[in-house]
């Protein structure tokens, strides 16, 4: 059952990072897109915690799904910020740090 919680996070991320990148490029911009996706993550985590408080697995699964909607789209924004702030050889090290901390 607990491994299933990760799959509820992963499924939205099959397609949504592409849509999230499009939304940040064309609709929101990087700053607003980052805030929107971070807010979605906060809402998903609150739903997940509420499901744990109620001892209801299905509420926790909904929370993980909502969390997943914003999760990897926020990673797209993080990569955009990293590319804007760092140049050249530093960029590879920054991506390495980012992956090791995020995963």
């Amino acid at each position: 059952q607990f491994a299933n919680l990760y799959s509820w996070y992963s499924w939205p991320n099959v397609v949504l990072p592409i849509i999230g990148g499009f939304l940040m490029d064309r609709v929101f911009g990087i700053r607003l897109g980052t805030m929107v996706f971070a807010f979605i993550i906060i809402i998903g985590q609150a739903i997940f915690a509420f499901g744990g408080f109620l001892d209801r697995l299905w509420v926790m699964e909904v929370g993980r799904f909502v969390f997943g909607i914003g999760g990897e789209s926020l990673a797209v924004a993080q990569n955009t910020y990293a590319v804007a702030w760092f140049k050249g050889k530093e960029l590879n090290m920054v991506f390495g740090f980012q992956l090791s901390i995020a995963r």
Side-chain angles (χ1 to χ4, degrees), residues 38-55:
F39 184 71
I40 292 171
I41 288 172
I42 291 169
I43 295 298
Q45 186 62 32
I47 294 169
F48 179 77
F50 187 65
F53 180 74
L54 295 177
D55 199 24

Side-chain angles (χ1 to χ4, degrees), residues 19-59:
I19 297 170
F22 173 78
L23 288 173
M24 279 188 281
D25 284 342
R26 307 289 176 154
V27 179
F28 297 137
I30 299 169
R31 183 176 295 162
L32 180 61
T34 300
M35 290 188 293
V36 166
F37 292 123
F39 184 71
I40 292 171
I41 288 172
I42 291 169
I43 295 298
Q45 186 62 32
I47 294 169
F48 179 77
F50 187 65
F53 180 74
L54 295 177
D55 199 24
R56 298 285 184 253
L57 183 62
W58 69 271
V59 176

Side-chain angles (χ1 to χ4, degrees), residues 9-26 28 33 37 65 67-80 103:
Y9 168 80
S10 296
W11 275 108
N13 294 314
V14 173
V15 176
L16 286 181
I18 298 168
I19 297 170
F22 173 78
L23 288 173
M24 279 188 281
D25 284 342
R26 307 289 176 154
F28 297 137
F37 292 123
F65 185 80
F67 189 97
I69 289 172
E72 296 301 320
S73 296
L74 184 62
V76 172
Q78 290 170 341
N79 289 335
T80 305
R103 308 279 189 249

